[in-house]
Every structure is written in C-alpha cells, then in structure tokens.
Amino acid sequence: QVQLVESGGGLVQPGGSLRLSCAASGTIFNIGAMGWYRQAPGKRREMVASISSAGSTNYVDSVKGRFTIASDNAKSAVYLQMTNLKPEDTAVYYCHENLQLGPDVVYVTVWGQGTQVTVSS
C-alpha cells in the first residue's frame, strides 16, 4: 500500500517562509504529475501548484512569485517552498501524486493526510 507522508506545516508570521515536504512510501513503478492543493475553512479545495513528470510547473495566480514547487523522483517526493506568506495562505495543504504501481496498470492519484499552515501575527 502506497502512502504519502507530509511534513513542514506550522505557524508563521506574515512575510515568513515555510517548506512543505511530501514523500511516498511503498513500491512505485512510475511517477506522473504531482502537486499541492489547499483548503481554507469554509472554502473549496483549490489547486496551489503542480509539476509534471517533465518538470513543467503551474501555479494559482495568488501564489505566483511567492511559492515554488519542486520534485525529486528518486525519492518519490514533492516539495513546496512558500515565501512572503500572507494570512490568506492559511489552510490545510494536501499533496498528491499520480503513481503507477506496477507495469501495465493505470496511474492512481494518491493524497497526503494534510498539514496545517497558519499565517498570523
């Protein structure tokens, strides 16, 4: 059974930085796109950043220039470097990875358990 384990959330002051990490455990045959979503209280879950298997990245407009997504396929890991954090970035952040768990099988999307990011003075 493949699981994603997240780390790196916490409480930070406005203007501060955090780095989220997400790593997969278990047997993985191939890795596709990976990314991060977030969900703030009372709001819908939104895509924050994504990275394709070829390294192409995509960001929601509100984080462009402040957040950077990176991946390490050897570690089945995806990271989110967040800088100049704002109170409106407060949310639970979820990573996801599209994984092929064996040859000749379809990719499945696996989600992390979520990590809380709180930006407050």
Side-chain angles (χ1 to χ4, degrees), residues 6 36-48 91-96 109-114:
E6 300 183 31
W36 293 88
Y37 278 67
R38 67 185 178 186
Q39 187 165 21
K43 296 188 177 181
R44 300 178 67 176
R45 188 177 294 193
E46 68 169 351
M47 191 279 293
V48 176
V92 178
Y93 285 69
Y94 300 89
C95 64
H96 73 88
T109 300
V110 183
W111 290 88
Q113 81 279 10

Side-chain angles (χ1 to χ4, degrees), residues 23-40:
S25 63
T27 301
I28 298 168
F29 185 74
N30 212 351
I31 302 174
M34 297 184 276
W36 293 88
Y37 278 67
R38 67 185 178 186
Q39 187 165 21

Side-chain angles (χ1 to χ4, degrees), residues 45-105:
R45 188 177 294 193
E46 68 169 351
M47 191 279 293
V48 176
S50 64
I51 184 166
S52 73
S53 57
S56 298
T57 58
N58 189 35
Y59 300 92
V60 66
D61 286 346
S62 60
V63 308
K64 285 180 180 177
R66 301 189 297 122
F67 290 12
T68 303
I69 189 170
S71 63
D72 184 340
N73 283 2
K75 297 181 179 179
S76 304
V78 61
Y79 309 96
L80 187 67
Q81 179 68 49
M82 305 184 292
T83 63
N84 191 20
L85 282 159
K86 303 176 180 180
E88 51 264 41
D89 295 317
T90 295
V92 178
Y93 285 69
Y94 300 89
C95 64
H96 73 88
E97 297 187 7
N98 293 328
L99 304 172
Q100 189 181 23
L101 304 183
D104 301 321
V105 298

